[in-house]
Amino acid sequence: MRIDAYNQINQLYQTTKMKKVTRKNETSAKEQYTVSSKGQDYQTAKNALADVPDIRKEKVEALKEQIATGSYNVSAQEIADAMVSKFFDSTI
């Protein structure tokens, strides 16, 4: 790295010169913003999910009932299939 080229770069970009900053009348200028369509979609989805409960009680109760009665059976093949599909879905 050449240190002597630093001055040439400063001259090229005129970084050492001070620029005057002028202020506009702040009361007349209003700031505006817009939200992108992706942001609007995100907000809509967030509002829709706020109304949905975190736990589906009816499904939990049905599973508890099946476990209590002994009728809840999951085969080892179903577990293995679910694990493999989760693995390949996350790696792709």
Side-chain angles (χ1 to χ4, degrees):
M1 180 173 129
R2 290 183 31 205
I3 297 174
D4 61 335
Y6 179 73
N7 288 334
Q8 294 172 353
I9 292 173
N10 277 344
Q11 290 172 355
L12 178 66
Y13 289 108
Q14 300 175 353
T15 58
T16 56
K17 292 184 180 179
M18 300 293 282
K19 294 181 181 179
K20 288 187 177 182
V21 177
T22 58
R23 286 188 147 179
K24 291 184 178 180
N25 189 356
E26 293 179 14
T27 58
S28 65
K30 291 186 178 182
E31 293 183 12
Q32 295 181 348
Y33 69 93
T34 57
V35 180
S36 67
S37 62
K38 190 179 233 182
Q40 291 172 349
D41 293 342
Y42 175 77
Q43 189 65 34
T44 303
K46 184 178 174 184
N47 290 338
L49 287 175
D51 297 335
V52 177
D54 290 338
I55 299 172
R56 295 181 286 179
K57 292 180 182 179
E58 62 277 351
K59 189 165 187 172
V60 171
E61 291 300 322
L63 287 172
K64 281 184 180 181
E65 181 69 28
Q66 288 178 355
I67 291 170
T69 60
S71 62
Y72 182 73
N73 293 321
V74 179
S75 71
Q77 183 65 37
E78 289 175 352
I79 294 172
D81 289 342
M83 290 174 65
V84 169
S85 67
K86 283 281 190 186
F87 175 76
F88 284 116
D89 287 345
S90 65
T91 57
I92 293 178

